[in-house]
Amino acid sequence: MVNPANLADNQASSQPGTVDMMVNMGPQHPATHGVFRMELRVDGEQILDLVPHVGYLHRGSEKLCEHELYSQIITLFDRFDYISNFNNELVIVAAVEKLMGVEAPPRAELIRMIMCEFNRIASHMLFYGTFAIDMGAITPVLYNFRDREKIQALFESVSGARMMHNYFRVGGIKEDVGDDFVARALALCDDLERGIDETDRLLTVNEIFVERTVGIGVISGEDALDWGLSGPVLRASGVPYDVRVDEPYSHYDEMDFGVPVGSAGDCWDRFYLRILEARESISIIRQAIALMEPGDTMAQIRRIARPPAGEVYAHCENPRGDLGVYIVSDGGERPYRLKVRPPSFCNLQALRDLTVGHYIADVVVILGTLDIVLGEVDR
Amino acid sequence: MTTRGTSNGEAEPSGQGGKAAPAKRHEPEVPRAAVALPAEGVVLAERLSETLDSHDIEFGAAIDEVVCTVPADRLIDICQQLKDDPEFGFTYLRLLTVVDYLEQDGEFEVVYHLFSLANHHKMVVKTRIPERGASLPSVTGVWRGADWYEREMHDLFGVVFDGHPDLSPLVLPDDFEGFPGRKSYPLNDYGEW
């Protein structure tokens, strides 16, 4: 749409000039990774302003949660961030356990950790592939999907579902893993290590890839904190904030792993950080498997959880960032109020700051590195 | 309208299977979650009560977090102080939310979850506002990350955040009527569209 005010100016001065243009992007656009719309004001190819529009997937999930039993809420959490279901299940289960003051048996906690770390790798795998597609590289996604499918197959053997597992329970897990689980998981770790190395070789120092990502969408650590960013997006800007280390849950305090931190805060850092992070996840899985001992997988609690009155905030490190949940309980079988802290939602807020001044093609790249899931942004 | 659970005391007819809810019976006292402040939380609570002008601030705790309930007109000053004072250094707004207590005492509770990376401690700031003219100052000037949280809460609860740059609907359609986050908004009572 031509801005009439600018047109009038140009005509008045009778000098040849440019006119700002409004470009609509989405909601049905392959590069937005879901239903997300952006209104771009551009001068030629350059972004002058960007207005994000979300809410196309709003289902009122938080209100739905307030009308369900705690055990039923787990299925709703599966559907927030549908790329990393286990990580989502963990946070609601952890919150209710914290409120009730119960702990899952060590074996259950370790299995949860292993599942969450595998899910982190699966989520990052999807990111590498789709991010490469965003920049026109079609090949890597095929390799990434091949590896991701192996993780999904392991999930299926454990929980019965490729996605939407509904496997974690308040006080433990639904059932113990099969006898062949440890052997399968260890073999999968080796496979994934090879897959991550492959992606690393294909993309990280590829000349075109570097041209498209280095110095694009830079955000300083201070701004990133001010915007409430979290996860790889925050750490790429040099802020070493990881819930697994800062407020350890499960058995993360017993694990020996590094938290990769970037320095430039650009798209390349955000990409490479996820490669490093996936390698750390493999190391965590191997350590957790070594600690596994036979035992119970469910604590002795009431079948229908009935936490005491009070309020609780619990959070976990999701592949996308700091996923939290705030529950206000009145002592009933259903929460009085439930609010999710969605990492994608917070990360997406910074999109305008990241993109202004860059070109239209960079918007796709910058949005790709934020790695949003619209199911979680809109809830 | 059917309201399942969450009703405090007053037993409402349950919508499940048309079964009438049991008549009022003697309910035992509801147990409360135990408070277990970690050592740094105890220190923080002491420092807060010493440093802040605390004549109208209510101090408390929820499980492992320090809770300060402040009056709405002092919210911005206190938040700014909590962010700027290096002793507290709450530079990170984790979560902003509204809890609807209209049925109980006609008020909204606005909850701010804060975290300090430098000092590695956390706290909760709360403020209560009445439903009538439900408005309070926006904290977007203190933490920019409050922007979308406040817009979402404005959509769902109708709480007005004064001084917010743009309170246009975020998650709801532009022509949506009502505040679906409130307890009074029915969950299942919609027509076909």
Side-chain angles (χ1 to χ4, degrees):
Chain A
M1 198 177 75
V2 172
N3 187 337
N6 285 0
L7 199 64
D9 277 357
N10 286 326
Q11 280 167 347
S13 63
S14 77
Q15 292 286 324
T18 57
V19 193
D20 295 351
M21 201 164 60
M22 299 300 289
V23 177
N24 179 62
M25 196 166 165
Q28 310 293 339
H29 190 288
T32 58
H33 303 274
V35 271
F36 171 57
R37 182 175 151 240
M38 287 171 278
E39 248 178 76
L40 312 176
R41 191 158 64 82
V42 290
D43 175 11
E45 280 275 304
Q46 212 164 21
I47 311 287
L48 299 176
D49 194 14
L50 182 147
V51 184
H53 292 275
V54 301
Y56 292 93
L57 219 57
H58 181 70
R59 297 151 290 180
S61 299
E62 284 164 6
K63 180 128 180 151
L64 283 176
C65 289
E66 287 161 21
H67 288 76
E68 300 294 346
L69 297 174
Y70 286 98
S71 52
Q72 293 170 318
I73 294 175
I74 299 168
T75 61
L76 288 168
F77 267 67
D78 268 332
R79 284 150 182 82
F80 284 153
D81 177 355
Y82 42 76
I83 309 292
S84 49
N85 319 81
F86 277 126
N87 292 278
N88 278 252
E89 286 180 23
L90 181 63
V91 73
I92 176 69
V93 165
V96 181
E97 283 173 2
K98 189 171 166 188
L99 189 56
M100 294 174 74
V102 297
E103 271 184 23
R107 185 176 171 84
E109 283 283 16
L110 285 168
I111 292 171
R112 282 182 191 174
M113 269 176 68
I114 294 166
M115 290 300 154
C116 287
E117 291 305 323
F118 269 128
N119 219 162
R120 189 183 313 279
I121 301 170
S123 168
H124 284 354
M125 283 281 180
L126 191 81
F127 162 76
Y128 310 142
T130 51
F131 182 51
I133 290 187
D134 286 345
M135 283 182 295
I138 311 293
T139 313
V141 74
L142 302 172
Y143 296 110
N144 293 139
F145 261 79
R146 176 199 63 195
D147 292 332
R148 182 170 173 269
E149 204 51 46
K150 291 176 192 160
I151 305 179
Q152 306 282 40
L154 182 79
F155 287 169
E156 191 176 2
S157 78
V158 170
S159 70
R162 284 176 72 254
M163 296 166 90
M164 317 299 164
H165 313 288
N166 191 17
Y167 181 60
F168 294 174
R169 294 283 182 275
V170 176
I173 50 177
K174 186 174 78 179
E175 58 194 358
D176 205 345
V177 291
D179 294 336
D180 61 342
F181 173 77
V182 170
R184 281 187 70 169
L186 286 174
L188 182 57
C189 282
D190 297 338
D191 270 8
L192 291 174
E193 222 161 29
R194 274 197 295 280
I196 295 164
D197 289 346
E198 215 166 44
T199 309
D200 195 2
R201 282 200 305 275
L202 269 171
L203 287 174
T204 310
V205 289
N206 178 302
E207 199 178 333
I208 302 170
F209 183 84
V210 169
E211 280 286 312
R212 291 291 306 273
T213 51
V214 171
I216 303 293
V218 177
I219 187 162
S220 70
E222 206 172 302
D223 282 347
L225 273 179
D226 203 18
W227 274 118
L229 306 188
S230 57
V233 184
L234 177 64
R235 289 193 288 273
S237 300
V239 183
Y241 173 58
D242 187 319
V243 186
R244 290 175 294 174
V245 176
D246 285 294
E247 281 183 61
Y249 50 94
S250 290
H251 290 266
Y252 280 107
D253 46 351
E254 294 165 30
M255 301 288 143
D256 179 21
F257 66 102
V259 177
V261 175
S263 54
D266 61 1
C267 286
W268 191 86
D269 272 22
R270 291 197 279 272
F271 167 81
Y272 191 57
L273 199 115
R274 288 186 173 101
I275 295 253
L276 298 177
E277 219 173 76
R279 291 195 179 126
E280 295 297 334
S281 291
I282 291 181
S283 148
I284 296 173
I285 293 169
R286 288 194 175 127
Q287 293 173 49
I289 287 177
L291 284 178
M292 263 168 75
E293 276 170 12
D296 288 341
T297 53
M298 194 68 198
Q300 298 295 320
I301 55 164
R302 266 183 60 147
R303 228 181 141 71
I304 294 177
R306 197 178 182 130
E311 51 194 76
V312 66
Y313 179 78
H315 59 152
C316 300
E317 187 71 22
N318 181 278
R320 272 156 204 86
D322 175 0
L323 174 78
V325 61
Y326 172 63
I327 297 177
V328 179
S329 161
D330 58 1
E333 287 165 353
R334 300 176 172 87
Y336 182 75
R337 170 85 172 111
L338 186 145
K339 167 78 187 157
V340 182
R341 182 213 191 271
S344 302
F345 181 82
C346 301
N347 291 351
L348 195 55
Q349 286 191 72
L351 184 66
R352 189 188 166 279
D353 273 20
L354 288 169
T355 47
V356 167
H358 289 296
Y359 293 101
I360 292 182
D362 296 331
V363 173
V364 174
V365 177
I366 294 167
L367 185 66
T369 57
L370 293 182
D371 194 21
I372 52 164
V373 168
L374 268 304
E376 185 190 86
V377 174
D378 298 340
R379 281 154 291 131
Chain B
M1 174 188 136
T2 53
T3 317
R4 285 193 278 152
T6 68
S7 51
N8 248 349
E10 281 291 314
E12 287 190 356
S14 160
Q16 284 170 320
K19 263 194 295 181
K24 269 189 204 171
R25 53 168 186 211
H26 179 68
E27 289 269 349
E29 188 71 20
V30 179
R32 300 222 31 111
V35 174
L37 271 185
E40 66 261 29
V42 177
V43 175
L44 175 67
E46 276 172 21
R47 294 302 302 145
L48 282 169
S49 57
E50 286 167 20
T51 313
L52 298 178
D53 175 15
S54 58
H55 64 279
D56 49 3
I57 300 177
E58 208 179 295
F59 292 94
I63 303 191
D64 60 344
E65 278 168 298
V66 182
V67 181
C68 283
T69 309
V70 306
D73 53 342
R74 286 184 62 205
L75 179 72
I76 295 294
D77 292 343
I78 289 172
C79 286
Q80 195 69 53
Q81 191 182 350
L82 288 175
K83 186 187 176 185
D84 294 341
D85 191 338
E87 194 177 9
F88 303 124
F90 288 107
T91 50
Y92 194 69
L93 175 72
R94 264 180 187 161
L95 182 69
L96 188 163
T97 190
V98 173
V99 187
D100 171 356
Y101 290 113
L102 295 180
E103 279 170 28
Q104 286 85 341
D105 39 21
E107 284 182 322
F108 286 117
E109 191 170 76
V110 187
V111 186
Y112 304 80
H113 284 260
L114 313 180
F115 181 64
S116 160
L117 274 94
N119 304 327
H120 219 276
H121 50 214
K122 55 187 177 178
M123 72 173 292
V124 181
V125 175
K126 285 182 176 181
T127 185
R128 290 182 85 108
I129 49 166
E131 183 200 10
R132 192 171 288 277
S135 76
L136 78 164
S138 162
V139 293
T140 43
V142 187
W143 301 283
R144 267 189 294 173
D147 186 351
W148 280 16
Y149 283 136
E150 290 187 347
R151 271 176 80 182
E152 190 192 6
M153 289 304 118
H154 177 248
D155 280 10
L156 300 180
F157 291 90
V159 175
V160 178
F161 294 89
D162 295 326
H164 188 284
D166 170 27
L167 276 178
S168 60
L170 181 72
V171 293
L172 295 180
D174 288 350
D175 56 353
F176 194 90
E177 281 177 22
F179 304 112
R182 293 186 182 185
K183 289 283 172 195
S184 56
Y185 196 92
L187 180 68
N188 295 322
D189 192 18
Y190 48 76
E192 288 184 20
W193 68 84

